[in-house]
Amino acid sequence: MARNKARFVAVRCAVVIAVLASLVAGCAQETPEGLEQMKYIDEKTDRVDLSALKRDVMVTQRELASMGDAESIVGILEPADGVLMSCSEGRHQWTGSTTIEYAEAPEQEAYFSLVEHRLADSADFRTERLVTPDGRDEWLIVWTRDGTRYSITVYTGRSKVQVSSSSWCFTLQPGQAEGGLF
């Protein structure tokens, strides 16, 4: 019993560390110059359409997390809201995550290779591998042209794939962040 509890605590801590590391690394990115973000910005008010940004990021999160065997999916954990994290110079980014549970555990290398293969010819995505500082875990990072970062983690022992995201950095307009739900 104590052994199972210790293992549960260790796994839970690893998940928290992975998500936090993903978000911290995402916060360090700066918004690339380009037109990709303009579809979310009203030219008259310079307001970012947080609803559209969140919707599009969540769609991509789900697509990346569900690239495994579709018939093997048994559960989806996708919080309706994310968190606005601070970037430099008073800017913010939208962060969120999607977790897909599979009936059969996906193998990490096979899953990463599948995602890399499917995105290889895309002009909208690029991928890179990232190993945690302690060398124990590896993530597949997917970048979009607008600077949004998706960190994919495969939890083989729990049959889950989690995609954590952090959008490009943007400036909130006065009153835009009231209510706290994003």
Side-chain angles (χ1 to χ4, degrees), residues 27-102:
C27 287
Q29 80 190 38
E30 293 300 318
T31 304
E33 296 300 320
L35 300 176
E36 290 81 17
Q37 300 94 2
M38 293 309 294
K39 68 181 179 180
Y40 301 108
I41 300 174
D42 182 306
E43 290 181 31
K44 294 177 185 170
T45 64
D46 205 26
R47 262 177 116 80
V48 172
D49 184 344
L50 289 175
S51 297
L53 175 63
K54 176 177 85 167
R55 178 196 64 232
D56 290 353
V57 169
M58 290 178 75
V59 165
T60 301
Q61 283 175 177
R62 185 180 283 224
E63 289 172 355
L64 293 171
S66 62
M67 283 192 178
D69 179 16
E71 294 186 19
S72 181
I73 294 175
V74 296
I76 300 172
L77 174 61
E78 189 171 50
D81 296 311
V83 175
L84 285 179
M85 299 286 288
S86 294
C87 293
S88 62
E89 300 174 12
R91 295 177 300 158
H92 294 80
Q93 63 186 170
W94 188 87
T95 63
S97 69
T98 297
T99 304
I100 303 285
E101 183 176 4
Y102 290 90

Side-chain angles (χ1 to χ4, degrees), residues 7 11 23-24 55 89 92 98 116 130 151 172:
R7 187 168 190 230
V11 168
L23 293 175
V24 168
R55 178 196 64 232
E89 300 174 12
H92 294 80
T98 297
E116 289 169 327
L130 180 68
S151 175
L172 289 173

Side-chain angles (χ1 to χ4, degrees), residues 9-25 132-134 136-137 139 149 151 153 155 162 164:
V9 169
V11 168
R12 192 172 183 187
C13 288
V15 169
V16 169
I17 290 168
V19 170
L20 289 175
S22 171
L23 293 175
V24 168
T132 58
D134 64 6
R136 294 177 56 180
D137 296 304
W139 299 309
R149 178 184 190 269
S151 175
T153 307
Y155 298 102
Q162 182 178 55
S164 301

Side-chain angles (χ1 to χ4, degrees), residues 3 90 137 178:
R3 181 184 223 178
D137 296 304
E178 291 178 15

